[in-house]
Amino acid sequence: MDSEDGRRVLDPAQDGAALKALTHPLRLTLLGLLRQHGPATASELAARTGESSASTSYHLRVLAKYAFVTEAEHRDSRERRWKSVHDMTSWSNEAMRRSPGGSTILSVLHRRQVEHLQQSLDRHEADLESGRLGQDWQEPSGVSDSMPRLTPESLAELWEVLRAKTDELTARDAGDPRAEQVVLFTAGLPLAPDPVAGQGRAEASAGPDATDAGATDAGAPDAPAAGDAS
């Protein structure tokens, strides 16, 4: 199912094969490259990924089979160019976990996103070090691992606020030549109480100036990212 904001919402009950197709790491990489850099040929994507043209061509056809990519306008008759159909792919976590094999697929997709975060961090640091990114990006960029206490309703509301604000700022900066591609990650991962840690806090609270240590913050603003596969 497509939405008006360029997002494809997958239904695990109907789109199980499409979701499974996304678990292949090269397919996710190819889809991400097309979304980030625009249309490309299998050969161009092979050069970017270090894969063979035969491999990228095959996986592009798989992505096309499940309507993630489609043929783009060709520059000439000798090449076959591909483009992403949507800007983002999302799903219902609840529906995923109810579907057969959905929890496994969800786990694989989340881990692919963590790998993307590491790759993005490496590239970001290299771009700053080499001067490909200006120094004005130093302060606003960063990663935060804050740990607020929220209800399920508040966490759901936070996701909606983040999406709305991201859309607002993206529209505002659309014509600004200073705008750069920003890899934006968000993760809302509730944790059940740890019995051992709970006992430790209870004992510590008896002493003076007892505090509950939270996660460290790098000093930069929160840098949330899309929780959907990209």
Side-chain angles (χ1 to χ4, degrees), residues 17-228:
L19 281 162
K20 188 174 181 180
L22 279 184
T23 60
H24 192 286
L26 181 55
R27 288 174 203 153
L28 273 181
T29 298
L30 295 175
L31 184 57
L33 288 172
L34 290 176
R35 287 176 174 175
Q36 182 175 1
H37 301 291
T41 66
S43 297
E44 290 169 344
L45 292 168
R48 281 185 171 274
T49 59
E51 300 284 339
S52 68
S53 295
S55 178
T56 56
S57 180
Y58 167 75
H59 288 294
L60 284 166
R61 291 196 301 272
V62 174
L63 289 170
K65 176 182 178 181
Y66 295 108
F68 291 108
V69 305
T70 190
E71 288 193 47
E73 183 178 351
H74 303 319
R75 292 174 179 167
D76 58 56
S77 59
R78 295 173 298 174
E79 66 175 2
R80 189 180 191 185
R81 298 180 69 76
W82 298 91
K83 66 179 181 179
S84 173
V85 177
H86 309 91
D87 297 327
M88 185 173 290
T89 308
S90 62
W91 51 80
S92 162
N93 286 336
E94 182 180 358
M96 283 283 282
R97 295 193 184 281
R98 285 200 312 263
S99 65
S103 293
T104 299
I105 293 175
L106 195 58
S107 179
V108 171
L109 291 172
H110 285 164
R111 278 155 180 74
R112 295 281 179 259
Q113 289 174 308
V114 171
E115 292 171 6
H116 184 205
L117 172 59
Q118 181 63 61
Q119 293 164 0
S120 299
L121 177 60
D122 292 343
R123 178 177 168 183
H124 165 73
E125 292 176 341
D127 286 346
L128 282 175
E129 185 68 25
S130 66
R132 288 190 295 269
L133 277 178
Q135 293 301 305
D136 53 338
W137 286 104
Q138 284 271 18
E139 193 62 29
S141 62
V143 179
S144 172
D145 55 355
S146 60
M147 297 180 67
R149 295 183 63 84
L150 301 172
T151 64
E153 294 78 14
S154 293
L155 181 56
E157 181 181 342
L158 180 58
W159 280 112
E160 291 303 318
V161 170
L162 288 170
R163 289 190 185 107
K165 192 63 178 180
T166 300
D167 290 344
E168 175 192 334
L169 295 177
T170 300
R172 188 186 74 183
D173 292 349
D176 194 324
R178 298 177 304 123
E180 298 283 4
Q181 190 84 47
V182 176
V183 180
L184 201 60
F185 280 84
T186 46
L189 307 173
L191 305 176
D194 185 331
V196 176
Q199 292 173 6
R201 283 198 297 270
E203 293 169 357
S205 64
D209 300 324
T211 59
D212 185 9
T216 60
D217 191 308
D222 289 348
D228 309 297

